[in-house]
């Protein structure tokens, strides 16, 4: 069972990117403080639960094979929201926890999500403020567009010390019903390992397994008149 050890790819920027103690707790606080309507938050929590149920067995397999941090993220506005993580005692020290957010342009899961987002979302991020986290962060719109095209071509995204020096990650998109992108799964490890290529095949295999598990899940347990799996299609991501 995942513990509370850190499994984030970076120290998040101040403001909206600040870590939260957990997705369920964060959603509950939003309801109490008058953010989104309670039924919307309950529906979203249910969608995250469906995704986690499908993903966790595969994430554990990936963690067992790599002994590194394994993360699951979904689109959340202009960021990637980390909804699950598994860490190991021997994994590279990182900062963050489930409920934290990652930039779409400078993280493995972020690039995997952004590459399969709508053209409007891609344009907004690529032409927006591309914060430089390290000397390796992609801050050129042209360079980022090229990187996103490569993600779509090869089926996975890499982050080579673009968010935190000393840490690399590899991520692949997860597709739900009707082939809509709903999440991304990643491995985060030390830059010195030189294992990005080895990570790629494993991460793509795990992402494919999660996608198949989502397709195989019955469209039941309706929430707000729609099943959790139907809700996965809203906006092409878990919203």
């Amino acid at each position: 069972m995942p513990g509370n050890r850190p499994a984030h790819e970076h120290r998040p920027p101040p403001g909206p990117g600040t870590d939260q103690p957990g997705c369920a707790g964060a959603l509950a606080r939003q309801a109490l403080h008058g953010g989104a309507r309670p039924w919307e938050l309950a529906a979203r929590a249910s969608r995250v639960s469906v995704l986690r149920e499908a993903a966790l067995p595969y994430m554990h397999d990936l963690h067992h094979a790599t002994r590194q941090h394994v993360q699951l993220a979904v689109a959340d506005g202009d960021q990637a929201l980390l909804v699950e993580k598994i860490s190991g005692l021997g994994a590279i020290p990182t900062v963050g926890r489930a409920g934290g957010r990652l930039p779409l342009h400078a993280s493995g899961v972020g690039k995997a999500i952004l590459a399969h987002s709508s053209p409007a979302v891609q344009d907004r991020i690529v032409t927006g403020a591309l914060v430089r986290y390290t000397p390796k962060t992609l801050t050129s719109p042209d360079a980022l567009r090229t990187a996103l095209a490569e993600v779509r071509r090869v089926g996975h995204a890499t982050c080579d010390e673009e968010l935190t020096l000393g840490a690399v990650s590899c991520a692949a998109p997860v597709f739900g019903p009707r082939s809509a992108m709903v999440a991304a799964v990643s491995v985060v490890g030390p830059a010195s390992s030189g294992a990005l290529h080895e990570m790629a095949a494993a991460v793509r295999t795990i992402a494919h397994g999660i996608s198949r598990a989502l397709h195989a899940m019955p469209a039941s347990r309706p929430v707000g008149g729609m099943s959790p799996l139907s809700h996965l299609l809203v906006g092409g991501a878990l919203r």
Side-chain angles (χ1 to χ4, degrees):
M1 182 175 181
N4 292 322
R5 292 178 58 79
H8 221 289
E9 292 188 45
H10 78 307
R11 187 180 303 276
T18 304
D19 282 345
Q20 303 295 328
C23 290
L27 292 173
R29 281 190 298 279
Q30 289 179 35
L32 288 173
H33 292 291
R37 286 173 290 185
W39 70 266
E40 293 175 329
L41 297 171
R44 183 172 185 184
S46 177
R47 298 194 295 274
V48 169
S49 178
V50 169
L51 177 63
R52 289 178 68 254
E53 180 182 339
L56 274 173
Y58 295 92
M59 293 177 67
H60 280 292
D61 284 348
L62 186 57
H63 170 66
H64 180 75
T66 63
R67 297 300 179 186
Q68 301 297 340
H69 301 293
V70 177
Q71 304 180 147
L72 182 69
V74 300
D76 185 39
D78 290 348
Q79 295 177 307
L81 173 65
L82 190 64
V83 298
E84 186 55 81
K85 54 87 178 179
I86 301 173
S87 299
L89 293 175
I92 180 176
T94 54
V95 177
R97 64 183 69 182
R101 288 168 173 79
L102 296 165
L104 293 178
H105 73 288
S107 63
V109 289
K111 287 183 190 176
I113 289 171
L114 184 58
H116 295 278
S117 295
S118 68
V121 171
Q122 291 186 43
D123 287 342
R124 184 171 71 249
I125 298 300
V126 170
T127 60
L130 301 176
V131 177
R132 183 183 297 278
Y133 295 91
T134 78
K136 293 188 174 185
T137 305
L138 298 181
T139 56
S140 160
D142 288 341
L144 182 55
R145 287 189 190 278
T146 298
L148 297 178
E150 181 69 3
V151 172
R152 290 188 292 270
R153 186 183 75 83
V154 300
H156 66 268
T158 59
C159 184
D160 188 2
E161 298 187 90
E162 297 163 43
L163 198 51
T164 301
L165 291 175
V168 299
S169 70
C170 184
V174 173
F175 297 96
R178 303 178 193 171
S179 299
M181 183 278 301
V182 297
V185 61
S186 73
V187 175
V188 185
S192 59
S193 68
L196 273 177
H197 180 71
E198 295 178 9
M199 286 181 180
V203 170
R204 287 197 306 269
T205 299
I206 292 301
H208 181 64
I210 298 171
S211 299
R212 289 199 307 173
L214 285 173
H215 280 272
M217 295 181 79
S220 59
R221 292 172 293 172
V223 178
M226 295 177 67
S227 74
L229 288 182
S230 297
H231 275 295
L232 289 176
L233 299 174
V234 179
L238 269 107
R239 307 296 290 188

